[in-house]
Amino acid sequence: MKILKMGMVGGGIGAFVGKVHRMGARMIGGIEVKAGCFNRDRRQNDEIGAKLGVAPSRRYASFEAMIAGESALPPEERVDFIAICTPNYLHYEEVKLALEAGFHVMDEKPMTMTVDEALELERLVKKTKRVFGLMHTYTGYPMVKLARDLVKSGEVGKVEKVVVEYPQGSFRKMDFTVPLDKRNKWKMNPKTTGESCCMGDIGVHAANMVEYVTGLEIREVLSDLHSFTPGIGRLEDDGDCLLRLSKGARGVLIASKIATGEENGFRFRVYGTKKGLFWQQESPNVLHVAAQREPEQIWKRGNPYVAEISPAAALASNTPSGHPEGYVAGFASIYRNFADTIRAREEGRRPTELELDFPGVREGIRGMRFIEAVLKSSRGGNAWTSV
Amino acid sequence: MKILKMGMVGGGIGAFVGKVHRMGARMIGGIEVKAGCFNRDRRQNDEIGAKLGVAPSRRYASFEAMIAGESALPPEERVDFIAICTPNYLHYEEVKLALEAGFHVMDEKPMTMTVDEALELERLVKKTKRVFGLMHTYTGYPMVKLARDLVKSGEVGKVEKVVVEYPQGSFRKMDFTVPLDKRNKWKMNPKTTGESCCMGDIGVHAANMVEYVTGLEIREVLSDLHSFTPGIGRLEDDGDCLLRLSKGARGVLIASKIATGEENGFRFRVYGTKKGLFWQQESPNVLHVAAQREPEQIWKRGNPYVAEISPAAALASNTPSGHPEGYVAGFASIYRNFADTIRAREEGRRPTELELDFPGVREGIRGMRFIEAVLKSSRGGNAWTSV
Amino acid sequence: MKILKMGMVGGGIGAFVGKVHRMGARMIGGIEVKAGCFNRDRRQNDEIGAKLGVAPSRRYASFEAMIAGESALPPEERVDFIAICTPNYLHYEEVKLALEAGFHVMDEKPMTMTVDEALELERLVKKTKRVFGLMHTYTGYPMVKLARDLVKSGEVGKVEKVVVEYPQGSFRKMDFTVPLDKRNKWKMNPKTTGESCCMGDIGVHAANMVEYVTGLEIREVLSDLHSFTPGIGRLEDDGDCLLRLSKGARGVLIASKIATGEENGFRFRVYGTKKGLFWQQESPNVLHVAAQREPEQIWKRGNPYVAEISPAAALASNTPSGHPEGYVAGFASIYRNFADTIRAREEGRRPTELELDFPGVREGIRGMRFIEAVLKSSRGGNAWTSV
Amino acid sequence: MKILKMGMVGGGIGAFVGKVHRMGARMIGGIEVKAGCFNRDRRQNDEIGAKLGVAPSRRYASFEAMIAGESALPPEERVDFIAICTPNYLHYEEVKLALEAGFHVMDEKPMTMTVDEALELERLVKKTKRVFGLMHTYTGYPMVKLARDLVKSGEVGKVEKVVVEYPQGSFRKMDFTVPLDKRNKWKMNPKTTGESCCMGDIGVHAANMVEYVTGLEIREVLSDLHSFTPGIGRLEDDGDCLLRLSKGARGVLIASKIATGEENGFRFRVYGTKKGLFWQQESPNVLHVAAQREPEQIWKRGNPYVAEISPAAALASNTPSGHPEGYVAGFASIYRNFADTIRAREEGRRPTELELDFPGVREGIRGMRFIEAVLKSSRGGNAWTSV
């Protein structure tokens, strides 16, 4: 198995998600961090680069410098792909530059700031024939894959109703005496985060989850967005959506940054004609499966009965049952399939379905469409709006 | 303490809720079942009457006969109140007759078939000066009372968001080969159950819960009702509502009869500026209280720290902490306060706030308005509709 | 169905368990409290008698007066049975007197103060042909009956290991500045409670549970008892036992009054060669059933799949699934079967197995033997001791 | 921060724990796998070495070859430490050889086969001044560290009672038609696993946990070991121990391989005079803290209120609260402190208390003494035996 060399932009000291990208990628083997522009601050950039064993010459001062520097290296030395862990407003330009320079890309979600940018990147991915991954990490959890495969196999029957929620209470921790723009940095500024705060950050995970697990498409949304946090301006910190999905299914999607006492209470319930499924992110190693005339079942990660229905869940598991796996393993799962797809391409063979099981261009565009539709519906008097 | 004599209509063999009324009323002491028209079938009526120790002469063949028979008894012998446990379409006439004959009434919810009927009964209650109770049993649970009192005391801060759900999977158990009208009897027939099935049966509990716990009013609803069960006709078996409450709070209310695998998954989450509250009916003895900078708390029924904040919760508890109480105790709690209010009235004293803590006319009208608004919104293109 | 008339000794104002006896007995119908000596204090005795609708003439000043007074009534008026809810040291004499006077008896556990007394009562029960019930309430829970029937049916395989615990933290609430004998009244005085505090009060429930669920006998115990509470003297407030059961099964039994933070954390796990069972008293409506190669199952009270395996569980259920039942229903369940057995006897027919499913003489003797063996083992250097 | 180079013996294809060592070590950064003798089979060894980026010349055919090969490299190239992930019977010789050759060592538990071997290694560690880590992974979990620090801080009061359990059902999955020695390889053969199966494999984790969390020593055990699995010979697959700890605390320790339906149900409850603590391995991100007069608390990993009491818990956390971490993170936590201690030594400075917070020689000897005492007690008629 070829060791893939990874470059990273963002994810420096003080950042959250870039570190998790690295932990996920490194955990499974087969990927090594070889270059990076982690922090703009040179001293911090050096510190983190050293810790990661990145050679001093490959601790770059800017994204552009990294692209230039790596491109100048002999092909067998330069990084194979670049992980983009910067604020949303930078994604589009960075992905573009990376693809054009011939690198595969792992992009933190949301893909871009607008649907148009996402479509532009879709064209570029096709043109450059590079592999593009989008870090919708929660679909990397094994029990989410099992849920999808239980639906796919017909076990659940026809899916008729979905309830998906992503409540957080994080904005309740803010110090209201500090001016807003100094509080939570880029995530609360429309210029850097986009027109949506809560839906763009976490609602989009919920939408992605619904489509992944049910195999249905969200066709229309009717949304009501709210801004409770003092000084949050036009950004929303809470929102509720009614959903119309393909094949006549209905649903509700709730996301919140002001759900006091919640941490990452991401959860879904899927009700089919035969079975109901329940999963929550904070207890990710189990999936509840319930029918009407039978005892409720708790399916547990890592068991042969899971693997039988869901080879994808088995592949995404790193340890036997009874050993809890967490959030980092979700990243690892997506990196594994992303990396195997790159390897397949480089070996000139068609990636398998299991290898291709990671979010990419399609999920990115769907996410941007969802965000735009939700904003439009709420601003337009809560009318049904196509996604 | 005066022993109150109870009469009952409905609740015979094969019925569900009337039996629970009796268990709740009898459990606490101070109430005795002395008359009844439980089943139309004479043999069944005798059987259940005998089991309850009801004298043969007071096992009536019809509601009218019970009213006539009891009215003919000397005041100290006749029943003090009548519990009405018949299908919805009979409530209005029976309550009316009972009030006019001078009996206090405990009515199973929903109060009537229409808002107009409910308003008519309100006038009658005022006129007859009788005590009217409405069995919204879930607000009888001690930890629900604690939740209300935590909100009232200011502990929760300003309530900004509410999520309340009542998912059931019961309609999934139906035998689809049996014609609809033979399947679930009166609950699936608009003539006997009213224009709403799911919202009228359980959504109305959720609405009542929200108003009880938060002290806010649901001002407007935007609803989307669905009919998934084959042959259910114009009745809905599932529905989602966006809520606008007083004081700027927002919320979501979900009710379903097709939520496969759910039994009575009634639950609410209330998010205030300081605390979040979480309760679920299937684990009714605990209330989760969470803030952002502290460990989550599990408050448990029957403890002194509960009684300190909520004397109502303490009063509604029958056993010390650690001894689970259930659904029947919810009925007992409402009967206790209902009966004490009757006693207070008969003693000529003003009932205390604790005694008056049971659902009645106001809750009945609010419920009927909620049902009507939800139907109107869904039928009218999912527009915001006043409650 | 004949209404049985119940007399009660103990269970007055300030008492705990007698009230629950009454709630359980009254809840189900078919039993009425007609006489009582609840409190020694006349005013309190009157107050509670009035609340229960007990005629003034049948509110007795002493147990002896009740026996005499009731015996003097015509047979069709006098009470059918007497519930004994006094401190342990009174049980033997009161049961004896009641049986000899011809009354059936429901005795609160433990049966007596010594094995010899229990054996003496066994002889008396046989001689008088009266029905004797012992309130080991926890075996009245439906899901405990399901557990027993899953074992009986062979579903669990051969039971090899049992872990049963009854941790309480109640003694942590005591005010250590108050002299011991004024703290917790009779339960902490060997003269009134017997030689064992923790094992006699709650350990004996755990032992009874093990034998009930597994159908095995505890053959030998090796125990280690502890006294942590200041001033508790020779009574123990905590204890651990190793168990050797019939058919080669092994187990552990733990009981504690100093398990800080626990309320009534009674729970058991039974491991058979095919399945494991897990139940806990504070969530009594579910039973977890787990095997090694299948998803874990949550069996829920009130479902047809429960009734199929366990008619006893179905009989002990008062409401459909999804409506939680609690501690009071456990008492109701035992009173139902006890009362039906009395009725069968009075009708001259042999009670069915379902009717006979309530604890009685056998369980009382087993309990006293368990307590004696545990004390002997711990005092004798932690040696294996026959039960 | 210096990147440490890691060598590994064992942990090849088909092995379980070695892979987790690598995932834990790689996840956090600062450690790289540079050499290994993973599988005896050359092809497998090459395959895994390649995946890990280990140079072909450093994929060794034997442990001895690795020691020789690495020792021959220039100091700045050779590995800094060796992780020993082979069956128990090889630990002693391999640790010895590695220490004598000047390498630091991370040893999978149990440390050796006997107490004498463990004492011998203690002398050698002192003599060679190398860092020795022992992978008792569960004490690496942040919430376990919090539990320890809550005890240490006095929050829990005096610890009086401990219940610790490690139930697994793994032996129930075995195919009884296959001869024992072909079933589960080395873990069921006394020559390779030692004289104890269940206690040596998992009971020793429970003993380690008790001492880590409470800061007390297990002074005496009284144990009863059992062999239920057909053909398991003299090895035990289940066992119960009564514990006498320092300062008068008492406890129970239960471990099992035949606890049908359990996966890794490792859990502990610690009862102090002020608080009770409850933790379970399968939900490792929360610690329940309960007192008698307050709501129970759920402390959640990653929060500032955890860091305040337990800097060690904060250090062991890799992601903010709400993102579950699992078993691999437990390994990471131990590797982090182990590596930082090596760095401190190489920098010539005294490691901090936080850096030294990983299991080592002392825990290894305690573990071996525990295993020996448990075997002696059970074989000697269940007598109290010093640890």
Side-chain angles (χ1 to χ4, degrees), chain A residues 86-387:
Chain A
T86 49
N88 304 350
Y89 76 104
L90 296 170
H91 292 186
Y92 171 72
E93 282 299 338
E94 290 174 348
V95 174
K96 196 162 172 282
L97 208 52
L99 290 172
E100 288 173 343
F103 299 102
H104 305 291
V105 170
M106 174 59 80
D107 189 21
E108 177 54 28
K109 56 114 294 258
M111 189 175 182
T112 53
M113 296 281 274
T114 66
V115 172
D116 285 346
E117 287 175 355
L119 292 171
E120 178 57 30
L121 291 185
E122 180 184 40
R123 279 187 291 274
L124 204 56
V125 168
K126 272 184 196 152
K127 191 179 133 198
T128 61
K129 298 198 165 69
R130 299 295 81 194
V131 177
F132 176 85
L134 187 74
M135 188 47 78
H136 266 302
T137 181
Y138 302 106
T139 58
Y141 276 118
M143 301 316 267
V144 168
K145 295 184 183 297
L146 171 65
R148 180 199 61 177
D149 289 341
L150 283 168
V151 171
K152 214 187 252 183
S153 72
E155 272 289 298
V156 170
K158 184 173 184 296
V159 171
E160 294 187 332
K161 179 80 182 265
V162 178
V163 180
V164 62
E165 298 172 82
Y166 200 146
Q168 291 181 334
S170 52
F171 281 20
R172 297 298 189 190
K173 282 184 289 197
M174 276 185 234
D175 181 351
F176 292 130
T177 63
V178 173
L180 184 71
D181 58 344
K182 301 214 168 114
R183 257 185 235 163
N184 207 29
K185 291 163 302 176
W186 66 266
K187 280 212 181 178
M188 293 184 68
N189 185 341
K191 285 185 196 154
T192 46
T193 201
E195 282 300 302
S196 167
C197 173
C198 175
M199 286 295 163
D201 190 29
I202 55 177
V204 71
H205 276 306
N208 173 249
M209 181 62 80
V210 165
E211 298 197 337
Y212 184 81
V213 168
T214 65
L216 302 173
E217 270 205 347
I218 300 174
R219 288 283 160 81
E220 289 178 90
V221 297
L222 185 162
S223 71
D224 197 36
L225 306 183
H226 318 116
S227 302
F228 290 108
T229 307
I232 199 174
R234 74 172 183 272
L235 288 176
E236 92 286 2
D237 52 17
D238 179 86
D240 307 313
C241 305
L242 305 182
L243 306 179
R244 288 182 177 163
L245 299 114
S246 49
K247 299 193 184 165
R250 294 291 182 268
V252 178
L253 183 155
I254 302 171
S256 185
K257 295 278 188 180
I258 54 92
T260 319
E262 302 273 5
E263 300 196 332
N264 279 312
F266 191 15
R267 48 195 162 228
F268 65 76
R269 278 172 289 134
V270 169
Y271 301 118
T273 47
K274 295 184 192 165
K275 296 270 169 69
L277 304 178
F278 173 55
W279 179 85
Q280 51 187 336
Q281 194 267 151
E282 294 181 4
S283 300
N285 293 281
V286 296
L287 177 74
H288 286 250
V289 180
Q292 218 56 32
R293 293 171 179 283
E294 300 162 22
E296 184 171 326
Q297 296 182 329
I298 311 176
W299 294 53
K300 303 184 184 177
R301 193 196 55 70
N303 279 289
Y305 59 76
V306 171
E308 247 173 64
I309 301 274
S310 179
L315 181 64
S317 280
N318 302 289
T319 51
S321 67
H323 304 87
E325 298 197 7
Y327 185 64
V328 174
F331 283 76
S333 155
I334 286 176
Y335 267 106
R336 177 185 293 112
N337 297 349
F338 170 72
D340 284 345
T341 294
I342 292 176
R343 288 183 192 110
R345 292 280 195 83
E346 303 205 343
E347 294 163 11
R349 66 170 178 80
R350 198 187 171 77
T352 67
E353 205 181 323
L354 281 177
E355 288 168 339
L356 287 170
D357 180 18
F358 64 92
V361 167
R362 188 185 173 282
E363 287 72 17
I365 295 170
R366 290 294 301 159
M368 296 316 300
R369 286 201 195 282
F370 171 77
I371 295 169
E372 286 201 359
V374 163
L375 289 170
K376 191 174 160 198
S377 171
S378 187
R379 290 172 183 173
N382 315 111
W384 284 106
T385 305
S386 295
V387 177

Side-chain angles (χ1 to χ4, degrees), chain C residues 6 130 189 193 196 209 287 352:
Chain C
M6 170 176 176
R130 300 294 81 194
N189 185 341
T193 201
S196 166
M209 181 62 80
L287 177 74
T352 66

Side-chain angles (χ1 to χ4, degrees), chain B residues 305-316:
Chain B
Y305 59 77
V306 171
E308 247 173 63
I309 300 274
S310 178
L315 181 64

Side-chain angles (χ1 to χ4, degrees), chain C residues 271-285:
Chain C
Y271 301 117
T273 47
K274 294 184 193 166
K275 296 270 169 68
L277 305 177
F278 173 56
W279 180 84
Q280 53 186 335
Q281 194 265 152
E282 293 182 4
S283 298
N285 294 280

Side-chain angles (χ1 to χ4, degrees), chain D residues 18-56:
Chain D
K19 180 186 168 194
V20 193
H21 275 254
R22 288 191 304 263
M23 289 194 290
R26 290 170 57 97
M27 190 178 105
I28 47 170
I31 298 175
E32 286 179 6
V33 182
K34 287 294 188 186
C37 165
F38 309 103
N39 284 93
R40 293 279 165 167
D41 178 86
R42 170 186 286 268
R43 202 191 45 74
Q44 290 185 319
N45 200 36
D46 264 353
E47 184 183 333
I48 200 162
K51 181 172 172 182
L52 293 165
V54 172

Side-chain angles (χ1 to χ4, degrees), chain B residues 78-325:
Chain B
R78 73 172 71 127
V79 297
D80 296 281
F81 73 91
I82 294 174
I84 292 174
C85 301
T86 48
N88 303 353
Y89 76 104
L90 297 170
H91 291 186
Y92 172 72
E93 282 299 338
E94 290 173 348
V95 174
K96 195 162 172 282
L97 207 52
L99 290 172
E100 288 173 342
F103 298 103
H104 305 290
V105 170
M106 174 59 79
D107 188 20
E108 176 57 26
K109 55 107 306 249
M111 190 175 182
T112 54
M113 294 282 273
T114 66
V115 171
D116 285 347
E117 288 175 354
L119 292 170
E120 178 57 30
L121 292 185
E122 180 182 42
R123 281 186 290 274
L124 204 56
V125 168
K126 274 186 193 149
K127 191 181 132 195
T128 60
K129 297 198 166 67
R130 299 294 82 192
V131 178
F132 176 85
L134 187 75
M135 188 47 79
H136 267 301
T137 182
Y138 301 107
T139 59
Y141 276 118
M143 301 316 268
V144 168
K145 295 184 183 297
L146 170 65
R148 181 199 60 177
D149 290 341
L150 282 168
V151 171
K152 214 187 253 182
S153 71
E155 272 289 298
V156 171
K158 185 173 184 296
V159 170
E160 293 187 333
K161 179 80 183 266
V162 179
V163 179
V164 62
E165 297 173 83
Y166 199 146
Q168 291 182 335
S170 52
F171 281 21
R172 297 296 189 191
K173 283 184 289 198
M174 275 184 234
D175 181 352
F176 293 131
T177 64
V178 172
L180 185 71
D181 59 345
K182 301 216 167 113
R183 258 185 235 161
N184 207 29
K185 292 164 300 177
W186 66 266
K187 281 211 181 177
M188 292 185 69
N189 185 342
K191 286 185 195 153
T192 46
T193 201
E195 282 299 302
S196 167
C197 173
C198 175
M199 286 294 164
D201 191 30
I202 55 176
V204 71
H205 276 305
N208 174 249
M209 182 61 79
V210 165
E211 298 198 337
Y212 183 81
V213 168
T214 65
L216 302 174
E217 271 204 347
I218 299 173
R219 289 283 159 82
E220 289 178 90
V221 296
L222 185 163
S223 70
D224 197 36
L225 305 184
H226 318 116
S227 302
F228 290 108
T229 307
I232 198 174
R234 73 172 184 273
L235 289 177
E236 92 286 2
D237 53 16
D238 178 87
D240 307 314
C241 306
L242 305 182
L243 306 179
R244 288 181 176 163
L245 298 115
S246 49
K247 299 193 183 164
R250 294 290 182 268
V252 178
L253 183 155
I254 302 171
S256 186
K257 295 277 188 180
I258 54 90
T260 320
E262 302 271 5
E263 300 197 329
N264 279 313
F266 191 15
R267 48 196 162 225
F268 64 76
R269 278 172 289 134
V270 169
Y271 301 117
T273 47
K274 295 183 192 166
K275 296 268 169 70
L277 304 178
F278 173 56
W279 179 84
Q280 52 187 336
Q281 194 266 152
E282 294 181 3
S283 300
N285 293 280
V286 295
L287 177 75
H288 286 250
V289 180
Q292 219 55 33
R293 293 172 179 281
E294 299 162 24
E296 185 171 326
Q297 296 182 330
I298 312 177
W299 293 53
K300 302 185 184 177
R301 194 195 56 71
N303 280 290
Y305 59 77
V306 171
E308 247 173 63
I309 300 274
S310 178
L315 181 64
S317 279
N318 302 289
T319 51
S321 67
H323 304 86
E325 298 197 6

